[in-house]
Amino acid sequence: MTQSISGFTLPSTAPGDRLHRILASALDRSKEQETLDLTQPLYWPAEYFGLNQVTLFQQASAEEQATILAIANQDLLTEIYWVEQAGVGYMAKMVLLAETCEERILYSLFAADEAQHLCQIEQFFQQKPEFNQDSFLSFMGQLLESNDKALLLTMVQVVLEGWGLSHYRSLASHCQNDRLTATLQSFLAAEARHHATGVQQLQTWQYDQASLDHIHQALREFLHMVQVGPQRLVKAVEQGRGYLSPAIADKSLLN
Ligand SMILES: [Fe+2]
Ligand SMILES: [Fe+2]
C-alpha cells in the first residue's frame, strides 16, 4: 500500500525509545492518575450493535455470544483508533494546503486535536491495535491521498466528520465504561469545530467540474458502503459461530 497520509502503515518507535518520555510530558500524562482495567473491555452491549435482534446471535451459546461481542467491541474501538490516526495526517496535509495564515493556524490546532484524540484512545488498548484493512478505512485512506481540496473538505470535514460527530455522540451515550464515555464526550467540541470549518469554507467555494465529478464519485462509493451494511459485524458473528454463507449473512444481519 502506498498511502501515507492516513498513517495506517506507520510503524511505532520501540517501547524504551526516548521519544515516549518527551511525548508523555508533552501530553501532560502526569495528570492521569487511575490506571485502566483492560481485562474485560466490553464497552458496548449487544443492543448497541443490534445483535440482540439477530437470530444467529440469539441462538448462539453464552460462550459464542461473548466471543462475538468481544470482537465487535474491539473492532469498534480499533476503528476509532485508525480514524483518529488518519485525522492527524489529514489535518497536517491541510496545514500545507492552507491559503491564509488563519487557515494554517487553524489546521495546526486541529492536527493537535486529532493527535490528542489518538493518544487518549490508545490508552484503551493493551498494545497498539493491528491495522486490518476494511472497506471503510481503505476508502478513507485513498481519499486522503487526493490533492483536490474541494473533495477533501466535502468528504472528510463535511460528510465523514459530520457523521463522526453523531457516531461519537451515540458511542458515548451507549458506552458502559465511564472513562471511555468521558473520553468520547471530550472529543465532541473539537469534532464539531472541524466539521463547521469545512461547512464554512465550502460556502463560498468555486467548484470546478473536475472537483464535482470527484465528489460525486466519492459520495457514490460512500453510500454504497452504507448500503452494503455492517461487514465487520458479520465477520464478528462468523468468528463466533463459524462460516456464514453470503445468503445467511444477508438474511440475518443486514436487513
Ligand atoms: Fe478526532
Ligand atoms: Fe476531527
Side-chain angles (χ1 to χ4, degrees):
M1 189 164 62
T2 51
Q3 295 161 14
S4 58
I5 303 295
S6 65
F8 291 157
T9 52
L10 268 186
S12 291
T13 51
D17 193 283
R18 283 185 195 169
L19 277 185
H20 284 280
R21 245 186 305 152
I22 303 174
L23 182 59
S25 114
L27 290 166
D28 209 2
R29 277 277 156 86
S30 54
K31 277 186 189 157
E32 282 151 26
Q33 328 83 354
E34 31 159 350
T35 15
L36 287 165
D37 176 18
L38 300 173
T39 46
Q40 267 305 332
L42 284 186
Y43 301 116
W44 298 279
E47 293 73 28
Y48 179 75
F49 301 94
L51 282 167
N52 55 319
Q53 290 163 28
V54 173
T55 322
L56 276 168
F57 184 78
Q58 290 164 349
Q59 290 167 349
S61 68
E63 202 185 323
E64 286 171 339
Q65 287 190 346
T67 304
I68 295 167
L69 203 50
I71 296 170
N73 265 267
Q74 205 53 32
D75 281 354
L76 202 47
L77 198 65
T78 302
E79 184 183 77
I80 302 174
Y81 175 91
W82 291 115
V83 165
E84 295 300 336
Q85 177 76 265
V88 177
Y90 170 77
M91 294 303 181
K93 179 170 185 166
M94 295 303 273
V95 172
L96 300 177
L97 292 178
E99 288 152 89
T100 63
C101 289
E102 289 72 19
E103 203 186 332
R104 190 168 145 110
I105 294 167
L106 205 50
Y107 280 109
S108 301
L109 295 170
F110 289 173
D113 288 341
E114 306 295 23
Q116 286 277 2
H117 297 171
L118 178 63
C119 293
Q120 280 170 275
I121 277 299
E122 202 173 15
Q123 291 181 289
F124 292 89
F125 292 91
Q126 272 161 325
Q127 44 190 242
K128 184 185 165 180
E130 246 176 71
F131 177 69
N132 287 317
Q133 183 95 284
D134 69 6
S135 52
F136 173 63
L137 292 177
S138 102
F139 169 75
M140 194 162 61
Q142 271 170 28
L143 192 64
L144 264 46
E145 294 301 315
S146 168
N147 283 321
D148 182 339
K149 200 169 165 183
L151 171 74
L152 291 171
L153 285 167
T154 307
M155 288 310 296
V156 180
Q157 284 174 252
V158 177
V159 177
L160 295 180
E161 294 207 284
W163 164 79
L165 195 55
S166 61
H167 180 54
Y168 280 171
R169 206 174 278 131
S170 149
L171 285 173
S173 73
H174 293 91
C175 182
Q176 308 176 125
N177 175 292
D178 293 346
R179 179 84 178 265
L180 183 56
T181 302
T183 299
L184 291 167
Q185 271 166 349
S186 76
F187 293 1
L188 296 177
E191 299 301 353
R193 259 194 303 273
H194 305 167
H195 174 64
T197 303
V199 173
Q200 195 66 41
Q201 279 181 287
L202 287 173
Q203 259 167 16
T204 50
W205 199 268
Q206 300 290 323
Y207 293 90
D208 58 31
Q209 192 53 46
S211 290
L212 289 174
D213 292 345
H214 294 155
I215 293 167
H216 184 226
Q217 174 61 28
L219 276 174
R220 270 172 52 136
E221 241 180 276
F222 180 67
L223 293 174
H224 177 72
M225 264 183 311
V226 173
Q227 209 174 27
V228 168
Q231 292 305 306
R232 266 181 297 111
L233 200 54
V234 174
K235 287 210 180 90
V237 173
E238 198 166 54
Q239 276 170 272
R241 296 233 40 197
Y243 173 73
L244 305 177
S245 71
I248 294 180
D250 261 20
K251 203 163 151 242
S252 321
L253 280 157
L254 305 178
N255 292 329

